[in-house]
Structure formats: C-alpha cells, structure tokens
Amino acid sequence: LADEKCKFYACEAANNIVSTGMYCIDDSGINIGIHSIGTLPEYRGHGYAASVVLQIIAEAEKMNIPLITLQASPYGEPVYSGLGFKKYTMIHSYAKVFLS
C-alpha cells in the first residue's frame, strides 16, 4: 500500500493465501481501524483470521496506539469477541438501487 498509515497482512497455508486483512491509522494517531478481514470459506474456523488480527493488535501495542476499532459481520463476531473486542454500537447500512 502506498499510504504509510496503512498496512496489509496475508496469512498463508498450503501454499495459498487463505486470510487477509489490513489496518489504517486515523489522522489523530490514537486509533487503528481494522478493515477487510477475510478468510477463504474452506479455511474458516482454523484461526487464520485471528492470526491476522493478533498481528494488528501487536502493531498497535508497539506504536502505543490505545484504540482499535472495526466493524464485523456475523461470521467475524465470534473471532473478535474471542480476542477481547466489545460490541459498542450497531451500524446501519443504506443503499440506493438503480434497476435497469
């Protein structure tokens, strides 16, 4: 990534990239946002996403950044709660669909 405030991670198994994720540090420097955590369906439930998130947590600790935030799908929620994240709010998504 070209932005030095962002870093991308990939987790490999069986010579394949099976899980990915990234973080971006906000402009205040007090929050790391975790984004785009994903694991191939056949590799879910084996700790690959948790491994990526744990690397990001370690980076935040090294940089003395006190806050880590993310948005989770129902699939990811058990991973994040197992790593100590707490649910604070629900985010509502809106869409405008144009049918052709």
Side-chain angles (χ1 to χ4, degrees):
L1 297 170
D3 188 338
E4 63 188 41
K5 291 183 178 181
C6 298
K7 190 170 182 179
F8 181 80
Y9 292 85
C11 187
E12 186 179 339
N15 293 320
N16 293 310
I17 294 176
V18 299
S19 192
T20 61
M22 66 180 289
Y23 75 73
C24 290
I25 302 169
D26 74 355
D27 290 337
S28 71
I30 63 167
N31 177 54
I32 280 184
I34 296 178
H35 305 278
S36 304
I37 301 293
T39 302
L40 293 172
E42 61 270 27
Y43 290 92
R44 291 180 185 154
H46 299 284
Y48 297 113
S51 176
V52 171
V53 175
L54 286 168
Q55 287 294 317
I56 295 171
I57 291 169
E59 288 284 325
E61 289 174 346
K62 277 196 279 186
M63 293 183 282
N64 294 316
I65 295 179
L67 179 64
I68 303 171
T69 57
L70 55 84
Q71 288 82 45
S73 71
Y75 294 113
E77 197 170 348
V79 174
Y80 304 122
S81 63
L83 294 173
F85 286 84
K86 305 284 186 230
K87 186 188 293 188
Y88 283 98
T89 188
M90 293 293 294
I91 294 177
H92 300 278
S93 297
Y94 298 84
K96 183 171 183 167
V97 178
F98 294 96
L99 301 176
S100 43

